[in-house]
């Protein structure tokens, strides 16, 4: 389960960075043209850019909190990922394949965040707090330790 928590934290970091990148694009190129059969519509996406920017920074913070096994980050991640899944349901008609993939990914992340959290948190904490004893060093043969002379 510890691997799932690291996966969830890493995915939140990646999705947060993607949201921030998309937010900058939406903020700097904030007018889009939409052509329908009846008329031409100019759409300003500045508000959407700010929503993406804020959600991106929230996802970065929560992902970093998950990687450091903070309980507040787990609760916040459950809320954020649940909202992300609901938003993907709303986008289902526009982007069906992408939305279904994101809903599946959100489901895996929710499973990682809700199943046996205390065991995973304890295991991750043990791995991070283990002191270096020198036994972790690889035992090399004499030939592997030999470095060629400098020319």
């Amino acid at each position: 389960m510890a691997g799932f928590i690291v996966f969830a934290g890493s995915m939140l970091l990646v999705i947060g960075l993607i949201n921030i990148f998309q937010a900058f694009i939406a903020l700097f190129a904030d007018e889009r043209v939409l052509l329908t059969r009846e008329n031409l519509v100019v759409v300003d996406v500045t508000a959407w850019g700010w929503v993406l920017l804020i959600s991106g920074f929230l996802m970065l913070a929560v992902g970093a909190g998950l990687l450091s096994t903070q309980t507040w980050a787990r609760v916040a991640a459950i809320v954020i990922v649940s909202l992300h899944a609901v938003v993907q349901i709303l986008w289902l008609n526009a982007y069906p394949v992408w939305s279904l993939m994101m809903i599946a990914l959100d489901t895996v992340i929710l499973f990682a965040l809700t199943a046996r959290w205390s065991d995973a948190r304890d295991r991750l904490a043990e791995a991070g707090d283990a002191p270096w004893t020198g036994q972790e060093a690889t035992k090399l043969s004499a030939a592997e330790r030999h470095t060629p002379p400098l020319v």
Side-chain angles (χ1 to χ4, degrees):
M1 287 309 295
F4 273 123
I5 300 298
V6 172
F7 170 76
S10 301
M11 288 308 299
L12 283 172
L13 288 174
V14 169
I15 294 170
L17 287 173
I18 290 171
N19 281 353
I20 290 171
F21 180 72
Q22 289 177 337
F24 285 136
I25 291 172
L27 289 173
F28 293 132
D30 60 345
E31 290 187 359
R32 300 282 186 244
V33 176
L34 175 68
L35 181 62
T36 63
R37 288 187 175 167
E38 291 82 27
N39 52 10
L40 177 70
V41 180
V42 177
V43 179
D44 188 8
V45 292
T46 303
W48 181 246
W50 283 108
V51 168
L52 281 174
L53 189 66
I54 291 169
S55 69
F57 280 123
L58 281 174
M59 286 183 182
L60 282 178
V62 169
L66 276 177
L67 292 177
S68 64
T69 65
Q70 300 295 318
T71 303
W72 65 265
R74 175 183 173 237
V75 173
I78 290 171
V79 171
I80 288 173
V81 170
S82 298
L83 288 174
H84 189 256
V86 170
V87 169
Q88 293 305 316
I89 290 172
L90 296 175
W91 285 102
L92 199 56
N93 281 339
Y95 304 105
V97 175
W98 179 260
S99 294
L100 289 175
M101 287 183 355
M102 287 296 107
I103 291 169
L105 181 61
D106 289 340
T107 303
V108 171
I109 292 173
L110 282 173
F111 174 77
L113 294 172
T114 56
R116 296 189 285 173
W117 168 257
S118 60
D119 295 340
R121 184 186 58 201
D122 294 342
R123 191 161 185 203
L124 284 172
E126 288 172 7
D129 294 338
W132 174 260
T133 61
Q135 295 175 349
E136 292 85 1
T138 308
K139 294 188 176 22
L140 301 175
S141 68
E144 291 169 328
R145 280 184 297 210
H146 177 70
T147 56
L150 296 173
V151 178

